[in-house]
């Protein structure tokens, strides 16, 4: 709220016969009312005093706020006002067709009238962490990141993140958030084998079957969504292949060997596989998250089939975090509050991803039942497994050390 002075009020009515002098010193207001001062002038003193008190909220250092209060200078109302004053939010590596982020970003802007600057929408988790480092101090630096949990841990250990607990903190399962709030999971799904049924004779439903089909001279061309040395989702694909071929979560070496064999056969396509590589027939099989295939490929490719492998049902979540050097600290916190509200969580659900608060929302009747019913199916009798942070970290280290030598640097 802007300060309102006596002269502002006088412009709308008769000018008082005597001047009103206001001296504002911090929170103290002294007024010398000369003879003949009107009630309008006295009202101005009151308005100015109230405005000065309200403006005190602007003195909050939002970069240091770790949780909102119900009322006062660190409440949701104060946060909204501060975020609107900043006027913009910097995000990175958020494709509009990734888990419905396009609609989610539009919803945030529509509700709060805050512009979103979206950088490098096709970027990887590794590139997000790099941006936190190289863009630190710039007005264009990321305010928030959305990365694989192992990358969130890397960013935390590098001192790049700041703790914050959203208002719905208790609705997030304890195993899916860092205790102090340095990162917290947001949405997830399962590794899936996607297949263009119009281009290949048989769509595989397991890694074992895929290995027998994608042999030298076959029509099968297989791709990951990116390099597993840079992408959490590609790493998950390698871990899933390891589970199916004698390895396990925490023992990813057989997964690296699996893709090395496909590469030797000439059926593995290094690099980043996506809708464009499917449409130009570079890849007809993509190993990627079920919900991203459903949202980014199925909608555009007739005959695209998605199968959660019967020999490796691996699930993971991505993680949110706020940059320690966020140029827009209030907007960053308001963005997280929006993502973890009913609207934000249902936004991911509409994108066929499983929001982290889904169980809580279903128990309290706030999850959209129509969108829950559309979630990609998991084969009956298959046991879903979720890796721990320690296991993901160990597997990432193994892949980073062996992938280039065994499979190739391009994929």
């Amino acid at each position: 709220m802007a300060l309102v002075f006596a002269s502002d009020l006088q412009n709308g009515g008769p000018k008082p016969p005597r001047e009103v002098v206001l001296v504002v010193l911090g929170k103290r207001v002294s007024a010398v009312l000369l003879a003949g001062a009107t009630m309008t002038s006295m009202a101005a003193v009151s308005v100015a005093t109230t405005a000065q008190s309200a403006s005190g909220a602007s003195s909050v250092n939002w970069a240091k706020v770790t949780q909102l209060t119900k009322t006062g200078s660190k409440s949701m109302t104060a946060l909204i006002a501060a975020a609107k004053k900043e006027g913009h939010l910097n995000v990175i590596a958020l494709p509009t067709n990734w888990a419905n982020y396009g609609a989610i970003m539009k919803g945030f802007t529509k509700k709060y009238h805050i512009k979103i600057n979206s950088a490098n929408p096709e970027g990887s988790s590794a590139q997000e962490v790099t941006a936190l480092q190289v863009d630190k101090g710039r007005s264009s630096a990321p305010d928030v990141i959305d990365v694989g949990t192992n990358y969130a841990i890397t960013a935390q250990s590098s001192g790049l993140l700041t703790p914050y607990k959203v208002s719905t903190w208790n609705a997030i399962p304890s195993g899916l958030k860092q205790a102090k709030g340095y990162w917290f999971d947001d949405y997830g799904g399962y590794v899936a084998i996607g297949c263009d049924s119009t281009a290949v004779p048989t769509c595989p439903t397991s890694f074992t079957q895929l290995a027998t089909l994608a042999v030298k001279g076959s029509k099968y061309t297989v791709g990951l969504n990116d390099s597993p040395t840079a992408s959490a989702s590609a790493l998950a694909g390698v871990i899933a292949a390891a589970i199916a071929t004698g390895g396990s979560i925490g023992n990813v070496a057989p997964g690296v060997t699996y893709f090395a064999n496909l590469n030797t056969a000439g059926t593995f396509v290094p690099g980043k596989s996506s809708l464009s590589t499917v449409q130009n027939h570079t890849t007809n099989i993509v190993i990627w998250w079920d919900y991203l295939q459903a949202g980014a490929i199925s909608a555009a490719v007739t005959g695209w089939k998605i199968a959660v492998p019967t020999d490796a049902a691996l699930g993971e979540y991505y993680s949110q975090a706020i940059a320690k050097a966020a140029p827009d600290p209030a907007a960053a916190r308001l963005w997280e509050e929006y993502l973890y509200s009913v609207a934000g969580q249902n936004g991911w659900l509409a994108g066929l991803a499983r929001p982290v608060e889904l169980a809580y929302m279903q128990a309290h009747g706030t999850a959209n039942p129509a969108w829950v019913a559309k979630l990609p199916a998991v084969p009956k009798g298959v046991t879903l497994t979720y890796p721990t942070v320690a296991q993901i970290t160990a597997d990432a280290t193994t892949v980073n050390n062996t992938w280039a030598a065994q499979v190739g640097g391009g994929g």
Side-chain angles (χ1 to χ4, degrees):
M1 180 183 293
L3 282 172
V4 181
F5 294 97
S7 57
D8 298 323
L9 296 178
Q10 292 164 8
N11 289 335
K15 187 175 181 179
R18 293 288 187 268
E19 182 181 5
V20 177
V21 182
L22 297 181
V23 181
V24 181
L25 298 172
K27 293 184 178 180
R28 295 184 60 190
V29 179
S30 298
V32 179
L33 301 181
L34 301 183
T38 65
M39 291 300 295
T40 301
S41 301
M42 296 179 68
V45 176
S46 176
V47 171
T49 304
T50 302
Q52 173 67 14
S53 176
S55 69
S58 64
S59 65
V60 172
N61 183 356
W62 286 100
K64 300 293 185 182
V65 174
T66 58
Q67 197 165 16
L68 296 183
T69 55
K70 291 184 178 180
T71 59
S73 62
K74 297 179 183 179
S75 66
M76 175 63 80
T77 299
L79 176 62
I80 292 172
K84 286 184 174 181
K85 185 176 181 180
E86 291 173 348
H88 42 74
L89 171 78
N90 299 335
V91 302
I92 183 172
L94 297 184
T96 55
N97 61 355
W98 180 291
N100 200 36
Y101 258 122
I104 292 172
M105 288 189 282
K106 287 181 179 178
F108 177 79
T109 295
K110 182 178 180 180
K111 183 171 184 176
Y112 297 114
H113 306 289
I114 294 173
K115 179 184 178 182
I116 294 181
N117 302 316
S118 180
N120 191 16
E122 298 298 328
S124 65
S125 293
Q127 290 173 322
E128 292 186 62
V129 176
T130 298
L132 291 181
Q133 297 169 321
V134 301
D135 293 335
K136 183 179 180 181
R138 299 175 182 173
S139 61
S140 59
D143 288 308
V144 293
I145 56 172
D146 178 333
V147 295
T149 304
N150 53 312
Y151 288 95
I153 293 170
T154 297
Q156 179 192 350
S157 64
S158 300
L160 299 172
L161 306 180
T162 191
Y164 183 74
K165 295 183 179 181
V166 292
S167 299
T168 56
W169 186 254
N170 291 337
I172 303 173
S174 59
L176 302 178
K177 57 189 176 185
Q178 199 279 333
K180 293 183 178 180
Y182 279 97
W183 53 262
F184 28 100
D185 288 348
D186 42 22
Y187 57 86
Y190 309 115
V191 172
I193 299 173
C195 171
D196 184 354
S197 63
T198 65
V200 296
T202 303
C203 282
T205 57
S206 69
F207 280 98
T208 302
Q209 185 182 24
L210 173 59
T212 63
L213 295 172
V215 294
K216 187 174 182 179
S218 70
K219 295 182 179 180
Y220 296 87
T221 50
V222 184
L224 290 163
N225 72 291
D226 206 338
S227 169
T229 63
S231 165
S233 51
L235 174 62
V238 180
I239 297 174
I243 294 172
T245 56
S248 63
I249 299 174
N251 177 23
V252 73
V256 177
T257 301
Y258 181 91
F259 284 97
N261 291 337
L262 291 180
N263 192 48
T264 299
T267 53
F268 177 64
V269 181
K272 180 178 289 189
S273 294
S274 62
L275 172 61
S276 62
T277 63
V278 172
Q279 291 178 321
N280 65 25
H281 307 296
T282 302
T283 54
N284 48 45
I285 290 179
V286 176
I287 298 170
W288 200 17
W289 299 119
D290 56 353
Y291 59 94
L292 294 181
Q293 292 194 49
I297 301 180
S298 290
V301 178
T302 301
W304 189 259
K305 292 185 177 181
I306 303 171
V308 174
T310 55
D311 52 2
L314 177 72
E316 280 188 36
Y317 285 87
Y318 277 85
S319 300
Q320 285 286 321
I322 298 176
K324 183 176 182 179
D328 309 292
R333 285 157 176 76
L334 184 60
W335 171 247
E336 300 300 352
E337 292 291 347
Y338 181 75
L339 292 181
Y340 289 83
S341 68
V342 171
Q345 294 284 294
N346 271 315
W348 281 321
L349 188 57
L352 302 179
R354 293 164 174 82
V356 73
E357 296 176 2
L358 181 57
Y360 179 90
M361 292 171 68
Q362 287 181 295
H364 292 79
T366 55
N368 187 306
W371 293 334
V372 171
K374 292 181 180 180
L375 290 174
V378 177
K380 293 182 178 179
V382 173
T383 301
L384 294 169
T385 55
Y386 295 87
T388 65
V389 170
Q391 289 172 327
I392 295 175
T393 301
D395 284 343
T397 299
T398 299
V399 170
N400 290 341
N401 290 337
T402 61
W403 186 264
Q406 295 189 38
V407 183

